[in-house]
C-alpha cells in the first residue's frame, strides 16, 4: 500500500509520516530529502542553479540512498554518491537552493523514477509535493496536509532548534516558508497542489497524534 502525504513545508509531513509508518509497520520515504541532496551536490560541484542541463545530469548520475535501522521507519541518514549529507541538507543555504533545483523537469524525472522504484518495493508512506498527483497517482490513501503560515513557521523553528541546523528566528523562517510555497506552487513542473481525490487535513489546531490517528484510520479503511 502507498500512503501519499503532500503539502507545503512545515505542515508536519515528516513527523506525521514517520509515526504513521511506525504504527502501521510501513517504511517511509522523504522525497524532499532527495531534492535537497541534489541541491547539495550541485552547490558542491559549483553548478549554477539555472543550469537545467547540468542539474538534470547530477540527478541522473548520482544515487541517493537512505540508511535504515531494522524496525525503525525513520532513516538514520541519507547519502548521495556515497557521501553522508544527513545534516548538510538541512542548512539555510540548501533551503534557498532547493526550490530552483526542484523546478527543473529533468531533475524531477530522474527522482520520480527513483521514488517509484523505492515505493513499489513495499508498503510505504511517501511524503512530498507531487506524490498523489504524479509519483503515485494510484496511491490507496492520499492526504493533503496543511497548516497556517504561522503554525508552520513555529514548528519549523522548533525542528531547527532540535536539529541544531537552520535558522531559529521566527520571522526569517516565516518569510522563507512563504517564499518557498510561492515557488513550489507556481512552478510549471509538478506544482504543489492537492490531488482531486486527496483528503485535506488542516493541522493548525490539531495535535500530531490526532493527525496520525486520522491518517491511520483512512489506511485501515482501505485494507
Ligand atoms: O519537504 P522539504 O521542505 O524537505 O522539501 C524541500 C524542497 O523540495 C521543497 O522546496 C519542495 C521540493 N520538493 C518537491 O518539489 N517535490 C517533492 N516531492 C518533495 C519536495
Amino acid at each position: 500500500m502507498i500512503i501519499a502525504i503532500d503539502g507545503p513545508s512545515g505542515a508536519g509531513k515528516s513527523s506525521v509520516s514517520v509515526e504513521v509508518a511506525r504504527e502501521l509497520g510501513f517504511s517511509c520515504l522523504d522525497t524532499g530529502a532527495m531534492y535537497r541532496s541534489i541541491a547539495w551536490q550541485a552547490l558542491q560541484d559549483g553548478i549554477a542553479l539555472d543550469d537545467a542541463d547540468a542539474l538534470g545530469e547530477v540527478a541522473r548520475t548520482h544515487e541517493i540512498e537512505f540508511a535504515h535501522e531494522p524496525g525503525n521507519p525513520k532513516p538514520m541518514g541519507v547519502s548521495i554518491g556515497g557521501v553522508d549529507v544527513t545534516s548538510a541538507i538541512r542548512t539555510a543555504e540548501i533551503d534557498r537552493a532547493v526550490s530552483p533545483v526542484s523546478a527543473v523537469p529533468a531533475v524531477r524525472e530522474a527522482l520520480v523514477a527513483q521514488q517509484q522504484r523505492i515505493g513499489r518495493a513495499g508498503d510505504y508512506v511517501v511524503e512530498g509535493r507531487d506524490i498523489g498527483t504524479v509519483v503515485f497517482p494510484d496511491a490507496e490513501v492520499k492526504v493533503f496536509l496543511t497548516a497556517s503560515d504561522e503554525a508552520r513557521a513555529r514548528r519549523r523553528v522548533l525542528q531547527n532548534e532540535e536539529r541544531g541546523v537552520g535558522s531559529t528566528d521566527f520571522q526569517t523562517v516565516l518569510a522563507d516558508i512563504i517564499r518557498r510555497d510561492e515557488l513550489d506552487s507556481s512552478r510549471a513542473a509538478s506544482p504543489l497542489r492537492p490531488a482531486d481525490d486527496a483528503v485535506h487535513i488542516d493541522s493548525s489546531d490539531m495535535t500530531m497524534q490526532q493527525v496520525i490517528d486520522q491518517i491511520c484510520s483512512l489506511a485501515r479503511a482501505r485494507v
Side-chain angles (χ1 to χ4, degrees), residues 3 27 32 35 42 49 62 70 99 104 107 142 155 190:
I3 300 177
S27 304
Y35 289 95
L49 297 179
H62 288 76
S99 282
V104 174
V107 169
K142 294 184 190 180
R155 288 182 194 152
S190 309

Side-chain angles (χ1 to χ4, degrees), residues 34-188:
M34 299 174 78
Y35 289 95
R36 288 172 177 274
S37 299
I38 299 300
W40 178 87
Q41 188 68 54
L43 293 180
Q44 199 71 9
D45 294 349
I47 291 169
L49 297 179
D50 59 358
D51 187 344
D53 289 341
L55 292 171
E57 185 64 13
V58 170
R60 279 190 299 274
T61 55
H62 288 76
E63 197 178 351
I64 298 166
E65 285 177 302
F66 291 92
H68 283 280
E69 220 174 13
N72 188 356
K74 185 179 164 66
M76 288 183 305
V78 57
S79 63
I80 180 162
V83 180
D84 186 308
V85 291
T86 312
S87 299
I89 60 169
R90 302 292 165 191
T91 62
E93 193 186 14
I94 298 294
D95 281 350
R96 280 191 298 275
V98 68
S99 282
V101 169
S102 64
V104 174
V107 169
R108 304 200 70 83
E109 204 177 303
L111 292 191
V112 166
Q114 284 193 40
Q115 291 156 13
Q116 290 173 334
R117 235 183 353 260
I118 297 172
R120 285 201 186 109
D123 290 322
Y124 266 88
V125 180
V126 187
E127 56 139 322
R129 305 293 190 288
D130 59 342
I131 309 306
T133 51
V134 175
V135 186
F136 292 108
D138 297 330
E140 285 83 350
V141 176
K142 294 184 190 180
V143 171
F144 196 74
L145 187 61
T146 56
S148 67
D149 294 347
E150 288 72 19
R152 292 186 293 127
R154 265 198 310 277
R155 288 182 194 152
R156 187 46 63 93
V157 165
L158 284 176
Q159 202 176 52
N160 288 350
E161 278 171 0
E162 277 166 22
R163 285 178 173 148
V165 277
S167 173
T168 54
D169 175 65
F170 177 79
Q171 290 301 338
T172 305
V173 171
L174 179 63
D176 180 64
I177 276 184
I178 292 171
R179 184 189 60 84
R180 213 134 54 88
D181 287 351
E182 272 167 17
L183 289 168
D184 294 343
S185 309
S186 62
R187 69 180 177 221

